Amino acid sequence: MGWGGILGFEYGIVQAPLGPDIAGPELVAAVANAGGLGFLRAPDWESPHYLRELIRKTRSLTDKPFGVGVVLAFPHEKNIQVILDEKVAVLQVYWGECSEELVLKAHQSGVKVVPQVGSLDKANKAIYAGVDAIIVQGREAGGHVISQDALISLLPKVADLVGDRDIPVIAAGGIVDGRGYVAALALGAQGVCLGTRFLATQESRAHPTYKRKLVEFDRTEYTDVFGRARWPGAPHRVLYTPFFNDWKSLPPHQNEADQPVIGHSTIHDREIEIRRLAGTVPNVTATGDIEGMVMYAGQSVGLIKEILPAGEVVKRLVEEAQLLIKHKFGDILLTHS
């Protein structure tokens, strides 16, 4: 399925639904127009009218299909109903049970369902729920991490589990370039899902300081110090900033609720106060102590050297991967045959 894409998209390249609102209409449309699958991120609260506007705004920027990501740990039923009513191409779900009922309901509306999983057990449940594809997340991923396993060990296991069923497996976690794409294909994936690389694009709604740090820093850490009160038991991978270094050993009983407000932001349709240690990344509207806010990033962030247009990211991924397969690996196989 390699270059024929997945789920009816031109290439097997997916832009993760970067939260809480970093993946807006501009980013999603740019990815769609370049032949990839872009995901908007639904609000973490019920806001059906606002989400409908977001979907329609994206449609005004592209005539290609795209998707919406929903975190099942937060209120979402009305939001999902809007996604189905609007017949968005793909519903991506994360951090919760992707039930047979949900899949059936989506399919009745002509919407495909793609859960992101972090274990063999969850992949198995997704297969039996009748999903259309599965995103397999490795522990290398940035943001909230559901997996305990590295992608290189988990991905082939899921690919074997799926077997010859028509369920594309999409690899996520630490992939930023053509090398990662080819490695994922070799491990049994039909596509790749990138978060950090699309975060560091011109169209992403991340604050300029956050984007700059993705280029500057090359170290991340798996932690649970941010957003403990709002989303308990949700570990995450963050950029190793000076602020994180100062706070990384926060005692388990402490959380953002005890901390002062360090900034403000408009997230989707709400004005939000950002407390120190909140799990809220600085978006383009954020004001205050930007350097003291959480900055999620995947383990391969050190490979990101510049902020690019999102369409260029898709184009380079495809070209680099094609070149590798054709020349490098073609030669290796020929010289040994």
Side-chain angles (χ1 to χ4, degrees):
M1 241 162 129
W3 308 112
I6 39 169
L7 301 167
F9 293 82
E10 213 171 322
Y11 302 121
I13 294 169
V14 179
Q15 162 252 308
L18 305 162
D21 67 346
I22 301 297
E26 292 75 16
L27 176 58
V28 172
V31 171
N33 288 333
L37 166 54
F39 281 116
L40 290 169
R41 170 70 184 274
D44 292 336
W45 51 84
E46 297 284 25
S47 189
H49 301 302
Y50 172 82
L51 181 55
R52 196 183 299 275
E53 281 171 33
L54 213 54
I55 291 165
R56 292 185 174 173
K57 181 168 185 199
T58 310
R59 284 202 170 124
S60 75
L61 300 172
T62 183
D63 54 5
K64 301 265 180 75
F66 57 89
V68 182
V70 173
V71 175
L72 299 174
F74 299 112
H76 57 266
E77 283 180 20
K78 292 176 185 165
N79 290 343
I80 286 184
Q81 195 53 56
V82 166
I83 294 165
L84 304 189
D85 291 346
E86 287 289 323
K87 299 194 185 315
V88 173
V90 186
L91 164 65
Q92 189 260 19
V93 292
Y94 187 39
W95 218 277
E97 210 52 58
C98 177
S99 66
E100 274 179 75
E101 294 78 23
L102 176 60
V103 175
L104 195 63
K105 199 176 163 194
H107 286 172
Q108 285 164 351
S109 300
V111 176
K112 292 176 170 152
V113 181
V114 179
Q116 175 162 274
V117 304
S119 68
L120 208 52
D121 176 49
K122 284 285 192 277
N124 202 31
K125 285 182 177 160
I127 291 167
Y128 287 102
V131 302
D132 299 278
I134 297 171
I135 298 174
V136 179
Q137 185 197 50
R139 197 179 150 112
E140 302 90 331
H144 290 89
V145 184
I146 208 162
S147 180
Q148 288 302 320
D149 296 322
L151 192 62
I152 199 164
S153 58
L154 181 60
L155 180 57
K157 289 181 201 163
V158 175
D160 288 350
L161 187 68
V162 168
D164 55 9
R165 295 180 183 90
D166 187 21
I167 302 174
V169 174
I170 301 162
I175 300 167
V176 300
D177 59 18
R179 294 173 293 184
Y181 192 174
V182 173
L185 294 175
L187 293 168
Q190 279 90 36
V192 287
C193 178
L194 293 82
T196 314
R197 178 60 274 191
F198 282 114
L199 188 62
T201 56
Q202 288 169 8
E203 295 88 348
S204 113
R205 298 189 73 255
H207 192 280
T209 301
Y210 184 7
K211 292 186 192 183
R212 198 169 64 242
K213 291 196 181 299
L214 293 169
V215 174
E216 272 174 36
F217 289 90
D218 60 4
R219 190 176 159 201
T220 64
E221 192 154 315
Y222 179 86
T223 181
D224 78 333
V225 303
F226 294 100
R228 283 176 182 168
R230 178 175 169 269
W231 194 355
H236 34 271
R237 183 172 296 285
V238 303
L239 210 50
Y240 203 103
T241 59
F243 174 84
F244 173 70
N245 186 51
D246 292 344
W247 288 85
K248 63 184 180 199
S249 3
L250 186 75
H253 61 277
Q254 289 184 21
N255 60 46
E256 72 271 26
D258 322 321
Q259 297 292 328
V261 172
I262 59 163
H264 293 82
S265 180
T266 304
I267 294 170
H268 288 304
D269 55 351
R270 287 188 177 178
E271 297 292 318
I272 304 271
E273 277 186 342
I274 299 180
R275 290 183 179 273
R276 188 162 58 210
L277 302 176
T280 308
V281 296
N283 69 11
V284 72
T285 72
T287 56
D289 177 15
I290 305 295
E291 309 232 345
M293 294 177 192
V294 64
M295 296 184 184
Y296 301 125
Q299 257 184 340
S300 299
V301 68
L303 297 171
I304 296 172
K305 305 294 184 201
E306 57 185 325
I307 308 300
L308 293 169
E312 183 64 23
V313 170
V314 174
K315 187 167 164 276
R316 285 192 191 183
L317 272 167
V318 174
E319 287 172 357
E320 285 171 13
Q322 283 173 330
L323 213 63
L324 271 175
I325 290 170
K326 214 157 144 186
H327 298 296
K328 202 160 186 178
F329 300 120
D331 291 350
I332 287 173
L333 295 171
L334 288 172
T335 51
H336 288 83
S337 58

